[in-house]
Amino acid sequence: VEVARTLMRSDAASIQELDAADSRLKLLAHTGFHPESAAYWAYVDADVGTSCGRALTARKRVVVPDMDQFDADAHDIAAYRKSGIMSVQSTPLVASSGHIVGMMSTHWNHAHAPSAESYRFFDVLVRLAADFMERARARTALCDSEARYRSLFETTRRGCIEND
């Protein structure tokens, strides 16, 4: 998130992981958020009107250049205000497989619309983060599968020994 913040010259940044089973974004890391805002955004439903929820639904970047013009829920606006956030961009983390695995957002304490050029290196970071998250998920799934296989093998082996 520090790299995202630096690349986008923003005041805050966050990364979230998508739990596809329940369509919620889980806040993994952030910088520049007030603790109450971070707690409010710990889990964000995909179908809500936040910048993240809208970007997830649209499967593309959402930019809110001025929070005063954003038609979000009052609780969402209050969380932005608590952290002094006046503008935000949220970009889906799309892995090489085409699956969305999360969201990376940057936030400014003033009204701001990033130029197309400012996304040049940020988009590289987004792609790397998405692929890293997808590989980490695959590794976790493999480890879980191996553990279940070992457990099944041990249970079967014990049953064979007891029956001898």
Side-chain angles (χ1 to χ4, degrees):
V1 293
E2 280 298 328
V3 173
R5 189 188 60 73
T6 300
L7 289 173
M8 295 300 287
R9 294 182 174 94
S10 64
D11 300 299
S14 62
I15 187 168
Q16 300 159 294
E17 180 179 29
L18 176 63
D19 180 346
D22 63 6
S23 297
R24 288 182 2 159
L25 292 163
K26 177 185 177 185
L27 185 63
L28 297 178
H30 66 88
T31 183
F33 287 175
H34 185 279
E36 290 178 30
S37 299
Y40 178 77
W41 291 319
Y43 290 93
V44 174
D45 291 329
D47 61 352
V48 299
T50 63
S51 61
C52 297
R54 292 176 188 193
L56 191 57
T57 299
R59 296 185 56 88
K60 65 180 183 178
R61 181 177 359 257
V62 167
V63 178
V64 179
D66 186 349
M67 214 41 71
D68 290 336
Q69 306 300 316
F70 191 43
D71 62 338
D73 178 87
H75 297 291
D76 294 320
I77 296 295
Y80 287 116
R81 298 269 189 254
K82 190 73 164 175
S83 290
I85 295 169
M86 286 302 297
S87 58
V88 60
Q89 72 75 31
S90 295
T91 302
L93 299 175
V94 181
S96 298
S97 67
H99 295 106
I100 294 178
V101 296
M103 191 72 55
M104 190 172 291
S105 300
T106 50
H107 313 78
W108 293 266
N109 295 340
H110 57 279
H112 180 72
S115 67
E117 176 64 22
S118 67
Y119 290 110
R120 192 172 91 193
F121 294 115
F122 178 78
D123 286 342
V124 172
L125 174 65
V126 163
R127 184 55 177 262
L128 291 171
D131 288 342
F132 175 81
M133 288 173 73
E134 187 171 60
R135 282 192 306 276
R137 283 182 176 180
R139 189 172 29 256
T140 299
L142 179 61
C143 289
D144 291 348
S145 176
E146 287 174 347
R148 284 191 305 275
Y149 176 76
R150 275 193 296 279
S151 176
L152 177 62
F153 179 77
E154 285 299 316
T155 301
T156 304
R157 190 172 141 242
R158 271 188 248 125
C160 289
I161 292 171
E162 291 171 3
N163 289 333
D164 283 346

